[in-house]
Amino acid sequence: MFDAIDHVGIAVSDLEAAVALHRDVLGMVLVHRETLAEQGVRAALLDVGDSHVELLEPLDGDGAVARFLARRGPGLHHVAYRVADIEAALASLSAAGTRLIDARPRDGIRGSRVAFLHPSATGGVLTELVQPSDHH
Ligand code: CO
């Protein structure tokens, strides 16, 4: 069902400092920036081979990433797996009784379609499915 690890999502309190760390110290290439108002974050994507690191800074005190930061501080937030057909993957997981946060895909970064599984169903790891846009 999963084709690759698409990205790991990292919650940060200072996006520019996190970009500088990953680009200038860790040597990753910054390939995309986007504000995802629905998720309440500013995001940056950096390439790691065919996968990415997704840095997420809350826009304000609301939203899941802001709550995560307040509770646990900066760090690993979620793992995202790439799928070719997100509707089929969600249907299969739902049929297997997997608890979903998103029953239907929503708009994700860079034109992708995404859906989150509930961490209680995935060993405590917030898990995202990503169907990339046709352009990426
Ligand atoms: Co993500």
Side-chain angles (χ1 to χ4, degrees):
M1 178 162 27
F2 300 153
D3 296 331
I5 294 177
D6 185 83
H7 63 268
V8 292
I10 299 175
V12 306
S13 52
D14 182 338
L15 186 62
E16 296 319 312
V19 165
L21 168 66
H22 288 78
R23 181 188 56 203
D24 303 336
V25 179
L26 301 181
M28 301 175 187
V29 177
L30 177 65
V31 291
H32 185 72
R33 287 176 179 269
E34 188 170 338
T35 296
L36 300 163
E38 189 190 339
Q39 294 180 43
V41 294
R42 281 204 304 148
L45 276 182
L46 300 103
D47 272 352
V48 183
D50 190 35
S51 303
H52 305 95
V53 167
E54 179 184 74
L55 304 174
L56 302 166
E57 179 196 66
L59 293 172
D60 53 36
D62 298 328
V65 175
R67 290 195 298 275
F68 177 94
L69 273 176
R71 205 168 55 240
R72 302 173 55 173
L76 189 61
H77 181 259
H78 66 270
V79 176
Y81 297 100
R82 193 174 304 147
V83 297
D85 183 342
I86 195 168
E87 309 271 5
L90 282 174
S92 167
L93 289 162
S94 183
T98 306
R99 187 174 172 196
L100 308 175
I101 292 176
D102 300 307
R104 297 158 184 272
R106 50 183 158 123
D107 293 337
I109 196 166
R110 211 159 58 161
S112 61
R113 300 173 74 218
V114 305
F116 284 88
L117 314 183
H118 198 279
S120 68
T122 47
V125 179
L126 179 60
T127 299
E128 179 183 9
L129 309 183
V130 182
Q131 180 179 331
S133 81
D134 294 338
H135 306 293
H136 293 101

